[in-house]
Amino acid sequence: MHMDEKLQARIEKIKMVLFDVDGVLTAGEIIFDDNGVESKVFNAQDGVGIKYLIRCGLKTGIITGRTSKAVEFRANELGITDVYQKALDKVLVFEKILKVHVIDPEEICYAGDDLADIPVLRRAGLAVAVENAGVEVKEVAHYITKRPGGKGAAREIAELILKAQNKWEGLMKKYLER
Ligand SMILES: [Mg+2]
């Protein structure tokens, strides 16, 4: 497959990948137990994709409007360094991340699915809308995943970036040469 040159140029600059949670790292379902404690369903292949990003030297982060222990636990498990929950204004968090990491917007990929993600998507160097994202979200995206949130979208984003940055093959060697 021949990738669009403009998209390739955008991806080459990416040094950090930020994810929304509900609808992006999950399918959007939120489970409450009888005590009101929130649970979420994450995808193992998504998790491995995020670990690959980290292993290849990219920074990763989460910006979510909700708060749950499940997100904190999942982020710790994967090694995601920047976890921002209860982010009522995602742009403020985005700008904080720029300062903390001394990183340019062009070096950040953000993946979202809903309207609250649009302001950040419009600033990010690589704006990704997942397959299940709203029409307005897809309209501002540079890339729309084939797989839906919580079901391989994050893995697809990781592979897209690592392949375009020529990091995928080196990663695979470990598995293919034994
Ligand atoms: Mg969402």
Side-chain angles (χ1 to χ4, degrees), residues 7-129:
L7 180 63
Q8 170 73 30
R10 285 185 179 281
I11 300 173
E12 280 172 11
K13 295 192 187 106
I14 299 306
K15 291 180 181 167
M16 183 170 201
V17 187
L18 301 174
F19 299 93
D20 167 45
V21 174
D22 298 294
V24 174
L25 292 184
T26 76
E29 287 112 332
I30 296 156
I31 304 160
F32 289 108
D33 70 10
D34 288 345
N35 300 313
V37 177
E38 203 167 310
S39 317
K40 294 180 193 296
V41 178
F42 294 103
N43 180 285
Q45 290 190 349
D46 281 348
V48 174
I50 291 171
K51 279 188 170 181
Y52 284 161
L53 287 170
I54 296 166
R55 199 181 297 170
C56 289
L58 282 91
K59 294 183 172 76
T60 53
I62 277 171
I63 307 179
T64 171
R66 302 184 65 86
T67 309
S68 70
K69 280 262 177 204
V71 168
E72 195 186 310
F73 188 87
R74 181 63 168 162
N76 281 339
E77 180 187 38
L78 298 178
I80 296 172
T81 51
D82 289 54
V83 182
Y84 292 91
Q85 300 207 66
K86 214 171 186 176
L88 298 180
D89 186 338
K90 292 191 175 189
V91 171
L92 289 181
V93 173
F94 183 77
E95 280 164 3
K96 188 178 175 186
I97 289 171
L98 295 180
K99 278 190 194 144
V100 168
H101 290 283
V102 196
I103 194 167
D104 290 330
E106 297 76 44
E107 296 173 322
I108 294 186
C109 166
Y110 181 73
D113 73 311
D114 217 335
L115 302 180
D117 299 309
I118 290 178
V120 176
L121 289 168
R122 290 185 62 205
R123 284 165 172 81
L126 178 62
V128 177

Side-chain angles (χ1 to χ4, degrees), residues 127-145:
V128 177
V130 290
E131 187 268 345
N132 49 301
V135 181
E136 300 87 348
V137 183
K138 287 181 175 172
E139 272 172 9
V140 299
H142 303 118
Y143 181 83
I144 299 165
T145 64

